[in-house]
Amino acid sequence: MTVSLPAAFAQTAAHQPAAATTETTLKPIEIKAAPEEGPREPLRPTVKLRGDTLRERAGNTLGETLSDEAGISNSTFGPGVGLPVIRGMSGPRVRLLSNGLATHDATTFSPDHAASIESILADEIQVMRGPATIRYGGNAIGGAVNVIDNRIPQRIPKQVITGMVQSRYNANGNESTNAFKVDAGTGRFAMHIDGFMRRRDNISINGCAVDDKAIQQQFGLINMRNTCGHVANTGAQSQGGSVGGSLFAGMGMVGASATMLDNTYGIPPSAGSHSHGGGSSDVSIDLANRRYDGRMELWGSGKWIDRIRLNVSRVHYRHHEKAGSSIATTFRNEALDGRLEVEHRLGSRISGVVGGQMMNRDFSALGAEAFIPETNTFSTAAYIHERLDITDTLRLEGGWRYDQLRLVAGPQSTVDGRILNFPGRSFSVESRSISLTWQYADKSAVGIIFSGSKRAPEVHELYSFGPHLATHTFDVGNSNLKVESMRSLDLTWNADARWIRLNGALFLNDVDNFVFQRSIPNIFFDADEGRFRTRCVSLDECLPVINYEQASARFMGYEAEATLRMLSDIVPPVEVTLFSDYVHARLTAINENVPRQPPLRYGVQLATASGPWSARIRYTHANAQDRAGVNETETKGYNLLNLHASYRHKVMGRPASVFVRARNLLNEEIRSSTSFLRNFSPEPGRSIELGIELVF
C-alpha cells in the first residue's frame, strides 16, 4: 500500500480550478510501503517508514526514530541509547532485526546497551505485529522491528551509479552527522557502499539532571553529584559502514556484505550506576560490531514457487564498559544465524511462506559486571505463514511456529567468592496466530487478530547473579523459570474517504508466567566491601537485591488517529491529524503495576506543502504516569512540540533538499516513564537540527 499526501488529495484535486491545482500537490510525508518480500500483512498491524518520512524522523537511535508512531515509545538510558517500546513491551520481547535476521547485540541483557543498527543508513524500517511476527520467534512476542537496507543489492540499479550524501548539525550537544550511500551496477552485477560518522558533546537540558525529590523517594538518601543546564558524560562518537555486492542470473541471485559499527558513548552519572567498586570515573561504553551477511535466491515461475531464499549472518559483537580509561567489563556475542524460506502459491487465492531457522550463539562476560555466566544458546525452528483470499475483499491469514532451544551455562565466579554451577535448560515453544481482514472499500478495512505466542526465558533471566550497576541492582536469576505465554486479541479499523482518514486499534494481551524483577526486602549488596547487608548506608555503594519472578499479567490499550484533509484556493492544502495511544499493564496475580510503562499520549499534527516547500508541526501531550510500578517513581506530564520543514531544489540537475528538524521547542523538562534513568537524565532540551541532502 501507499499512503501519501499527494494520493490523499488526488480525489479532491479534480474539483479545484485548474489554476488552483498547479502548485498545491503536497510532498509525500506519510508512510509508504516498499515492494513486499513476503505475504502481505493486514492493513493496520504493520508500520513501514521509508523515503521522505524516514529521512524526516531518523534520529540517533531506533527508539527515537519510531517514537512518533502510534503505540511505540522510546526507552532511553541517556541520549546514547534508545530502544523501541511497543505497546508497553520492550527488551527481550521486541525482536530487533537487520534485513530479517537478529542483530545479536546486547540490548536484551541490559537497558544501557545500544542497538547495533543505524537508522540514518536504512532504506526502510518495518514494525510488525500479528501473523508475520511468527517468522521471528518468541523474542517477537511483543512485536518485531526490521531495519532494511540495500547492503546486499536486491536488483540492478536503473542507472549505472546512484547515491545519496547527507549532512546534519544539531545545536544541542554540538552534534554533527554525515552519511552517504552509493549503489552501482551494470549487466549482472550490483554493489553497495555506505558509511556514516557522528559526534556529540554533552546534551543540554532545561533544569538540573538529577530529580532530588524522586531520588529521595526511591532510594531514601542523596549522596551524588548533580549538574544543571546539561547532563554530564553524555557525549558520543560513532562511525560505521558496509560494502556488499550481488551477482544476478536468469534463475536467481547470490550476494554478500560486510558491515562494521564502532560506537562510544557516555553513561549519565546515577546512583551507583557503573561505579565499579567505588570509582568516581565517568563510565562509557565502547561498542564494536562486525557482521557478515550472505543471501541466495532462486526464482520460480510463479505457478507454484515464487522464491526460495537463504539468508545467513555471522556476528562478532563486543563492548567494553570503561571506568575512565580502564576496562571494567567486556561483553561478547558470537552468533551464527540462518534462515531458509520458500514463498509459494496454490492457485490465485492461496499464498504464503514456509521456512526454517537455525541459530547458535555464544555469550560471555568478563570483569566487574560479569553478572551472567558464559552461555551457549542453540535453537532450531520451523514455521509457516499462509494467506487465503476468500473473496476479493475478505482475507484470512494464519501463522504457526515451533522452536526448540537449548541453553548451556558455564560456572560463574561470584563477587562473594563462590563458584555457581547452573543447570542447562531446554525449551519447546509453539506459537500460533490468525487474522481476518475485510476490505469493505478502497483503502478501508476492519480486522481481527488472535495470537497465542510463547517466549523462552533469556540468558540473563535464568542465570544472572551479580551486581548490575547499570540499573543499580544486584540481579539474581531464576533457573527454574517457565515459558512465557501470551494470548492476544487485536481489533483494527481503517477508513479512508475523500476528506478524512481514520485509523484505530484496540488490543488485549493476557500473559501467563510473565517474567519480571522484584526486590528482596531488607537485603542489599555492598559493592565496596563485596558482601550482603541488611541495611543500606551509602547510596553509591549499596545495591538492592532483586530476583526474577513470574506472574500473570495483562496489557490492554488503544491507538487512534483521525486525519482531516482541507483544501483551499487561497492557502496551501493542510492535513490536520488528531492522535492518541494508551497502554495499561498490570501484574494481575499480585495486583501490581508493570513498571516503566508509557503514559497516555494525545495531540495534534498539522502538515502542509506548497511547491518545493513542505512542513509538519506536531504537538504531543503526555499525561503523568502515576502507575509507576513497585520500586519506581511517578513521572510528571509534559508537552512536546516538534517541527520539520524542508525545501527541495535541483542542483546541477540532481534533487537536493535543505531541512530543519526541531524537537522539544518548548524546552520542557521531560522525564520518560519508560527510562531506567529518568530520575538522573531527562530527555534533551530544545534541539534544532539543520540538514542538507543531495541525491545523485
Side-chain angles (χ1 to χ4, degrees), residues 671-685:
R671 297 187 183 271
S672 173
S673 60
T674 60
S675 171
F676 276 92
L677 285 189
R678 60 181 175 271
N679 294 330
F680 305 96
S681 176
E683 303 304 298

Side-chain angles (χ1 to χ4, degrees), residues 181-233:
K181 293 191 287 188
V182 176
D183 293 288
T186 184
R188 296 181 178 273
F189 180 74
M191 69 175 299
H192 172 89
I193 302 174
D194 64 43
F196 82 100
M197 294 184 65
R198 177 182 293 116
R199 184 187 178 281
R200 181 185 65 243
D201 298 328
N202 291 334
I203 62 167
S204 300
I205 58 172
N206 179 21
C208 296
V210 178
D211 185 340
D212 290 331
K213 292 183 179 179
I215 299 301
Q216 180 74 30
Q217 176 185 346
Q218 186 172 14
F219 296 104
L221 33 117
I222 295 290
N223 60 342
M224 61 172 300
R225 59 175 171 162
N226 200 353
T227 59
C228 295
H230 73 281
V231 182
N233 198 39

Side-chain angles (χ1 to χ4, degrees), residues 338-392:
R339 181 189 300 273
L340 177 65
E341 294 184 329
V342 179
E343 295 181 15
H344 59 272
R345 61 181 62 250
L346 301 173
S348 61
R349 295 194 177 274
I350 299 177
S351 60
V353 58
V354 176
Q357 187 172 6
M358 183 278 294
M359 187 272 292
N360 187 73
R361 184 184 68 194
D362 290 310
F363 169 83
S364 64
L366 179 66
E369 200 175 319
F371 63 98
I372 308 174
E374 295 185 17
T375 308
N376 173 263
T377 303
F378 180 78
S379 67
T380 57
Y383 56 89
I384 183 171
H385 176 196
E386 296 294 314
R387 182 183 74 200
L388 170 62
D389 291 325
I390 301 173
T391 67
D392 291 340

Side-chain angles (χ1 to χ4, degrees), residues 230-502:
H230 73 281
V231 182
N233 198 39
T234 51
Q237 184 170 338
S238 59
Q239 54 274 327
S242 66
V243 57
S246 297
L247 182 64
F248 297 85
M251 293 295 293
M253 58 82 68
V254 60
S257 70
T259 305
M260 63 85 67
L261 172 67
D262 293 321
N263 187 6
T264 301
Y265 57 93
I267 298 295
S270 61
S273 177
H274 288 86
S275 61
H276 297 292
S280 59
S281 298
D282 287 335
V283 173
S284 62
I285 305 294
D286 180 3
L287 181 156
N289 192 60
R290 304 293 182 263
R291 182 184 179 107
Y292 307 94
D293 289 273
R295 184 182 183 113
M296 182 175 67
E297 292 187 3
L298 295 176
W299 303 323
S301 63
K303 184 176 182 181
W304 298 98
I305 302 296
D306 284 338
R307 185 183 311 178
I308 301 174
R309 177 173 52 237
L310 174 66
N311 286 347
V312 179
S313 69
R314 178 67 175 174
V315 177
H316 304 278
Y317 172 91
R318 75 104 180 104
H319 80 249
H320 301 309
E321 302 203 353
K322 294 183 176 181
S325 59
S326 302
I327 297 176
T329 310
T330 296
F331 291 86
R332 294 186 184 275
N333 246 347
E334 302 285 338
L336 177 64
D337 199 352
R339 181 189 300 273
L340 177 65
E341 294 184 329
V342 179
E343 295 181 15
H344 59 272
R345 61 181 62 250
L346 301 173
S348 61
R349 295 194 177 274
I350 299 177
S351 60
V353 58
V354 176
Q357 187 172 6
M358 183 278 294
M359 187 272 292
N360 187 73
R361 184 184 68 194
D362 290 310
F363 169 83
S364 64
L366 179 66
E369 200 175 319
F371 63 98
I372 308 174
E374 295 185 17
T375 308
N376 173 263
T377 303
F378 180 78
S379 67
T380 57
Y383 56 89
I384 183 171
H385 176 196
E386 296 294 314
R387 182 183 74 200
L388 170 62
D389 291 325
I390 301 173
T391 67
D392 291 340
T393 60
L394 194 63
R395 172 180 300 149
L396 180 68
E397 289 188 70
W400 172 88
R401 179 175 173 121
Y402 180 82
D403 288 85
Q404 185 72 41
L405 298 92
R406 184 188 71 239
L407 295 91
V408 179
Q412 174 80 345
S413 299
T414 69
V415 293
D416 57 353
R418 294 179 293 159
I419 301 294
L420 294 182
N421 293 297
F422 299 98
R425 293 295 307 273
S426 295
F427 299 95
S428 298
V429 179
E430 186 176 1
S431 299
R432 302 179 180 89
S433 184
I434 189 170
S435 70
L436 182 65
T437 305
W438 175 39
Q439 189 165 344
Y440 59 88
D442 187 31
K443 299 181 183 179
S444 300
V446 293
I448 183 170
I449 304 172
F450 294 99
S451 297
S453 305
K454 295 184 178 182
R455 180 184 75 89
E458 265 288 357
V459 171
H460 63 291
E461 297 167 327
L462 291 167
Y463 300 133
S464 293
F465 190 88
H468 190 180
L469 302 176
T471 56
H472 187 63
T473 57
F474 188 99
D475 289 8
V476 179
N478 184 347
S479 59
N480 295 316
L481 291 176
K482 301 177 182 178
V483 169
E484 194 174 272
S485 178
M486 184 170 74
R487 300 173 303 280
S488 302
L489 171 64
D490 282 50
L491 301 176
T492 66
W493 178 43
N494 303 270
D496 198 333
R498 175 175 297 180
W499 297 100
I500 193 169
R501 181 175 68 246
L502 302 172

